[in-house]
Amino acid sequence: MGEDCGPGGVQTRTVWCIHTEGWTTHHSNCPHAEKPESQRRCFKVCEWHQELFEWAVSEWGPCVLTPHLSNEVKPGTAACVTAQHGVQRRAVLCARKSNRTAVTERICDFFSQRPAAEQACLIPCPHDCVASAFSHWSACSRTCGAGLQHRTRAVLATPMYGGANCPNLTQIRTCRNPLACPEGQERYRYSLKVGPWSECRLPHSKAVWLGGRTTVDLGDSVAERNSVEHRSEGARRRRHHPHHHGSKTLDVRIGYQTRQVRCTQSDGRNVMLSLCIHDNTPMTFQSCVMPRDCEMSDWSLWSPCSKTCRAVDLSPGYRTRTRNLKQTPIGGGKECPPLEEKEACNIVGDLLPECPRFVWKSTDWGDCQVAPLLSQQDRRQDKLSALCGGGIQTRDTYCVQVPDDSTPHHTKDVSRPVNSRLCVGNIPSSVQPCHIPCPEECLVSTWSDWGPCLHDNCMEPQGKKGFKQRRRQIEREPAGESQSCPHLAEAIPCEDPICFLLSVTSEEPCVPTQGPCGPGTQNQSALCTSTQGEVVPIERCSENPDPSPLPCEVPCPGDCVIGPWSEWSPCTHSCSTKHSEGRQSRARAMLALPGEGKKPCPAPPALEEWRHCNEHPCLTFYWEASPWSPCMEDSSTATLNATSSWNGSPTCTVGVQTRRVSCIKMNVGQVIPKRCPDSSRPDTIRPCLLPCRTDCIVTPFSEWTSCLSSCFTVNATAATQSRYRIIIQRSANGGQECPDTLYEERECDSLPVCPTYRWKTQKWHECTLVPESVRQGSTGAGEPCGRGLETRAHDVGR
């Protein structure tokens, strides 16, 4: 339900309490803290939202076999004809087109059907292992009597997609030679014994490492020498040498391992290998990765105990410590132990203080205010709306009950306030200092020198008109309610503009043309750059003359010594008119007089130079920009306020700001835009971030206060009880407003009228003589006359 498009709608549902057997019961029988929400905000979809949202899908994942049900044929029981059935999955989300953040899928579902998140796919049929035919039987292992012969076959294709594994690749059978063995030899049977591989070890000093191969001497038991190919990780690009064995900087070290291969006869004696096998001897060595155990850092300090007070359940707390992995195990090294250790702490709960059942809470800080710190006289004299500087912020504090661990998370955030007398300890501060920045004007630097005459757009140079420009920088942004900064660029029209500049980068030493001193030349190096400062080929600066060698002079001994030229003085005028033009000068001093017969000093007029400056006419143009408008929502990219992005973090609406830009002629006013260079025109629109919508958050109502009496007296006012709730966060920027009712009061439930009581008496009874024994403490008989007593009954009447 909602009148406007967007997130302003409301959804409601009915919540009721049911018995575990299914019948409805009174709501008081269900825990109030576990009651689901009966109302929530929702997004109302309108037609124009179709331009803002769309379905976003990821790439299809890998094809995996579909799980088979119990009544289906399992893989392998039926012949696969072409392929096996599988399924592919992908992520499907409803996203905003502008910044790809995720929103509720109901928005996109309103306009188009949700794209499929799964699709069928095919996996090739299982490929069984394919082996070649067996080779011919080898020669008999013995030349007389009974022996052994074998044959082998190779793997042509490995099994794929769950196909059958490869069969046995070797077969052995007995064979008998027609020649009988000499007496005593035929009774023995021979068998090949292959021992286990030894531990991986590094080559010893006899190893020779050449070209990545190692020759290992296996001793007298093996008559032949074998070679081990040495490989190292390409990322290391480092060759291993015997003296590097102990270096821990190498992650992987290649070693070798051996095994014993021998031929034994039936009586257990070792005999020649030729009696057991005639083909290639089984491998007696192989390369291996040197094992390295897992290496761990030292344990960190124990974390604080998770329980520092005694709870109702008396369960102990826990503390943990961690360590980091320094070296992963390689080559079958010792595996890593756990990285985290946990142990119980504060087991003796009786020695701990009891956990607080009630704690102090506080609301958000309010706005910074300066006015409360002013005296009455200051308030009358100053304009309160423009106050700045030091101020104060306030907030409310209240007491709440600590929720149990079984309480749902969403009910823990905002707890019901209780009587403040239940909380112990210091009350959180409700006042803190703050500061409101005072307005500051924009501060800009001085103007730079006028630049060369350039085309406004070198990509499309037009005509022979250009601009010279000068700029200044912002040194301090305006603050507070100050206006925007003044214009930062000025331009003047000029003739014969260029697009590339030839600038001198260095000057070589002066080289005399005759002898070691006297007149000479000085070469210069130059670069051709674009108007943006990028270096381009020197041919682009063909319109500018190449820097020619400059005339110079190396002083000879005894000549007049003249100092260097000073800097040019400031120009006398900023521009030129019919009646005035700018001039500037520079000078140099005479440092030493010449010797006899040496080069004399120049005349005094030669020690000073003048030149014209700022020869451009006094026609300056600049762009003037008005202050930026307030941030407004952009209808073309309007999106939800405070929606969720892909990672679940809240975002705010992106809006736009606009301003008016005009071309101004100095001391004249606004002119047509083409009089100002378009390249320096300020932006007229920019994105901005609208303030996030903030909903009001209030605590639940406190419990009703107890009635002070159990009845009421006649003509007395009715007894009342009250409850309250506190605003934790106030609404802002169009968020849900706070409720009007923060305090409620009601009469106590129908109390009975308090009863009133008074004494009631009966008539006196006859006078009864008091016995003498009673009067005197004796046991004598009573008298017929004398002093007596009259009695009457009394009770309390209503």
Side-chain angles (χ1 to χ4, degrees):
M1 296 179 294
E3 298 179 358
D4 300 328
C5 302
V10 174
Q11 284 180 298
T12 59
R13 64 178 177 182
T14 304
V15 180
W16 64 92
C17 181
I18 62 170
H19 192 268
T20 54
E21 297 179 357
W23 43 271
T24 305
T25 180
H26 193 264
H27 64 83
S28 62
N29 293 327
C30 289
H32 181 74
E34 300 177 1
K35 183 179 180 182
E37 296 178 350
S38 60
Q39 179 176 312
R40 71 176 182 183
R41 300 180 62 184
C42 59
F43 184 87
K44 183 177 181 181
V45 184
C46 296
E47 291 295 335
W48 55 271
H49 286 138
Q50 187 172 3
E51 302 298 328
L52 305 179
F53 304 96
E54 65 179 0
W55 290 107
V57 296
S58 64
E59 297 292 335
W60 286 107
C63 187
V64 295
L65 286 174
T66 55
H68 288 261
L69 301 177
S70 58
N71 58 350
E72 293 182 353
V73 179
K74 294 183 178 179
T77 58
C80 179
V81 180
T82 56
Q84 306 172 89
H85 292 287
V87 64
Q88 286 177 294
R89 294 179 176 86
R90 65 178 177 181
V92 179
L93 294 170
C94 183
R96 217 165 27 189
K97 292 182 179 180
S98 58
N99 56 4
R100 312 306 297 171
T101 53
V103 295
T104 175
E105 293 189 356
R106 198 173 67 84
I107 301 176
C108 296
D109 200 28
F110 184 81
F111 303 110
S112 60
Q113 186 177 1
R114 188 178 191 271
E118 295 183 356
Q119 73 174 5
C121 57
L122 295 177
I123 299 177
C125 290
H127 290 180
D128 296 337
C129 176
V130 180
S132 66
F134 277 109
S135 64
H136 296 292
W137 288 102
S138 66
C140 195
S141 62
R142 300 189 60 190
T143 57
C144 63
L148 296 174
Q149 58 182 169
H150 66 275
R151 63 178 181 177
T152 60
R153 57 181 172 182
V155 176
L156 301 179
T158 57
M160 298 176 65
Y161 311 115
N165 293 327
C166 296
N168 190 9
L169 302 177
T170 305
Q171 287 184 350
I172 300 176
R173 71 179 182 183
T174 59
C175 56
R176 176 171 288 276
N177 289 285
L179 297 177
C181 291
E183 184 178 357
Q185 288 189 10
E186 191 173 357
R187 66 184 181 193
Y188 295 117
R189 290 188 175 274
Y190 303 96
S191 58
L192 188 67
K193 301 292 185 181
V194 180
W197 289 108
S198 67
E199 293 183 357
C200 190
R201 59 181 181 268
L202 291 170
H204 46 74
S205 58
K206 291 183 180 180
V208 180
W209 294 75
L210 293 174
R213 302 184 66 85
T214 302
T215 302
V216 181
D217 185 4
L218 297 179
D220 298 335
S221 61
V222 180
E224 56 188 85
R225 294 180 180 271
N226 300 292
S227 62
V228 175
E229 185 177 357
H230 165 71
R231 298 172 183 169
S232 63
E233 288 188 353
R236 298 292 183 269
R237 301 294 183 189
R238 185 179 298 183
R239 197 163 293 226
H240 303 266
H241 294 279
H243 60 275
H244 287 158
H245 294 166
S247 176
K248 296 190 68 173
T249 59
L250 304 177
D251 291 337
V252 177
R253 292 182 295 175
I254 304 299
Y256 74 95
Q257 54 188 167
T258 62
R259 64 180 176 181
Q260 189 178 21
V261 177
R262 57 193 175 90
C263 182
T264 61
Q265 60 186 19
S266 54
D267 61 356
R269 297 179 59 185
N270 293 336
V271 295
M272 296 182 299
L273 281 175
S274 59
L275 295 177
C276 288
I277 197 166
H278 290 279
D279 294 336
N280 294 332
T281 305
M283 184 179 295
T284 58
F285 70 91
Q286 66 179 8
S287 60
C288 58
V289 176
M290 289 294 295
R292 175 166 292 180
D293 296 339
C294 175
E295 294 184 18
M296 311 289 293
S297 66
D298 295 333
W299 284 108
S300 65
L301 298 177
W302 285 104
S303 66
C305 191
S306 62
K307 183 166 291 188
T308 56
C309 56
R310 187 175 64 218
V312 179
D313 57 359
L314 298 179
S315 60
Y318 292 94
R319 62 176 185 173
T320 59
R321 63 177 181 175
T322 58
R323 53 185 173 183
N324 298 323
L325 181 65
K326 296 175 61 177
Q327 172 66 55
T328 57
I330 56 176
K334 184 179 179 181
E335 293 296 326
C336 294
L339 298 177
E340 185 178 16
E341 199 173 57
K342 184 178 181 181
E343 71 174 13
C345 55
N346 289 340
I347 299 176
V348 185
D350 295 339
L351 302 179
L352 297 174
E354 291 187 357
C355 294
R357 296 183 56 209
F358 302 92
V359 295
W360 291 105
K361 290 282 188 180
S362 59
T363 63
D364 288 344
W365 288 105
D367 296 332
C368 188
Q369 295 182 348
V370 180
L373 300 182
L374 301 179
S375 63
Q376 293 294 335
Q377 183 178 0
D378 292 335
R379 296 185 187 183
R380 289 193 297 268
Q381 293 178 353
D382 292 333
K383 183 181 178 183
L384 295 182
S385 60
L387 292 178
C388 64
I392 58 172
Q393 287 176 292
T394 60
R395 65 178 178 181
D396 294 329
T397 57
Y398 58 99
C399 182
V400 299
Q401 185 175 0
V402 178
D404 298 330
D405 293 336
S406 59
T407 306
H409 177 70
H410 66 276
T411 61
K412 290 184 181 181
D413 298 336
V414 181
S415 302
R416 178 193 305 263
V418 297
N419 195 317
S420 59
R421 290 178 297 179
L422 298 175
C423 282
V424 296
N426 296 328
I427 303 177
S429 173
S430 59
V431 180
Q432 74 172 5
C434 58
H435 186 269
I436 298 177
C438 294
E440 286 185 342
E441 297 295 334
C442 180
L443 183 63
V444 295
S445 64
T446 57
W447 288 105
S448 65
D449 294 332
W450 287 101
C453 186
L454 303 174
H455 278 289
D456 188 33
N457 185 2
C458 284
M459 300 300 294
E460 298 179 0
Q462 297 178 355
K464 294 186 178 182
K465 296 288 186 179
F467 293 96
K468 289 183 179 181
Q469 297 191 55
R470 65 175 182 177
R471 299 180 181 275
R472 56 184 173 183
Q473 307 297 327
I474 296 177
E475 296 186 349
R476 186 185 65 201
E477 294 283 351
E481 299 180 357
S482 300
Q483 296 296 321
S484 58
C485 292
H487 63 278
L488 303 176
E490 289 183 349
I492 54 176
C494 58
E495 302 288 339
D496 298 327
I498 58 175
C499 282
F500 301 99
L501 308 174
L502 191 68
S503 56
V504 177
T505 58
S506 62
E507 294 181 350
E508 298 178 1
C510 183
V511 179
T513 54
Q514 295 180 355
C517 60
T521 57
Q522 184 179 27
N523 293 325
Q524 302 179 96
S525 299
L527 285 178
C528 184
T529 57
S530 65
T531 54
Q532 288 76 28
E534 300 175 352
V535 178
V536 296
I538 196 68
E539 294 79 11
R540 299 283 185 91
C541 292
S542 57
E543 299 179 0
N544 300 311
D546 293 336
S548 57
L550 297 175
C552 60
E553 186 173 355
V554 176
C556 293
D559 289 347
C560 177
V561 180
I562 305 298
W565 287 107
S566 65
E567 297 292 334
W568 288 103
S569 65
C571 196
T572 57
H573 294 85
S574 60
C575 55
S576 297
T577 63
K578 294 181 179 180
H579 306 289
S580 64
E581 61 181 9
R583 295 188 69 193
Q584 59 185 166
S585 63
R586 66 176 181 175
R588 56 181 177 177
M590 186 169 54
L591 303 180
L593 296 174
E596 185 177 355
K598 299 299 181 177
K599 182 178 179 180
C601 292
L607 299 178
E608 187 177 13
E609 284 186 352
W610 290 84
R611 71 176 183 183
H612 294 288
C613 56
N614 289 340
E615 299 176 306
H616 57 272
C618 297
L619 297 175
T620 305
F621 300 89
Y622 62 89
W623 291 105
E624 185 179 68
S626 64
W628 288 104
S629 68
C631 189
M632 299 176 296
E633 187 171 353
D634 186 5
S635 59
S636 61
T637 59
T639 55
L640 290 179
N641 195 2
T643 56
S644 293
S645 60
W646 290 99
N647 57 5
S649 60
T651 59
C652 300
T653 304
V654 176
V656 292
Q657 286 179 289
T658 59
R659 64 179 176 180
R660 185 172 56 85
V661 175
S662 306
C663 181
I664 303 297
K665 183 178 180 180
M666 185 73 73
N667 302 324
V668 175
Q670 183 174 347
V671 294
I672 57 176
K674 70 176 183 179
R675 304 295 297 273
C676 293
D678 193 63
S679 58
S680 60
R681 182 186 181 115
D683 294 330
T684 58
I685 185 171
R686 71 177 181 183
C688 57
L689 196 62
L690 288 169
C692 292
R693 176 183 297 143
T694 304
D695 295 336
C696 176
I697 300 178
V698 296
T699 66
F701 273 106
S702 64
E703 297 288 347
W704 289 101
T705 57
S706 58
C707 290
L708 299 180
S709 60
S710 58
C711 62
F712 68 92
T713 59
V714 180
N715 298 330
T717 58
T720 60
Q721 56 183 170
S722 62
R723 65 176 183 174
Y724 65 95
R725 54 183 173 181
I726 299 173
I727 297 176
I728 299 177
Q729 174 181 282
R730 295 194 174 273
S731 63
N733 307 314
Q736 185 175 2
E737 295 293 336
C738 293
D740 296 331
T741 305
L742 299 177
Y743 177 83
E744 290 183 348
E745 189 176 50
R746 70 180 182 184
E747 292 185 0
C748 293
D749 292 337
S750 55
L751 297 176
V753 178
C754 296
T756 57
Y757 301 93
R758 62 188 177 88
W759 291 106
K760 295 181 67 177
T761 60
Q762 297 177 350
K763 291 182 179 181
W764 291 106
H765 295 287
E766 291 183 5
C767 184
T768 305
L769 185 65
V770 180
E772 186 66 24
S773 59
V774 175
R775 296 195 300 267
Q776 299 180 0
S778 64
T779 57
E783 298 291 335
C785 63
R787 183 178 296 177
L789 293 173
E790 287 181 315
T791 61
R792 64 179 177 181
H794 64 273
D795 58 0
V796 178
R798 189 171 183 181

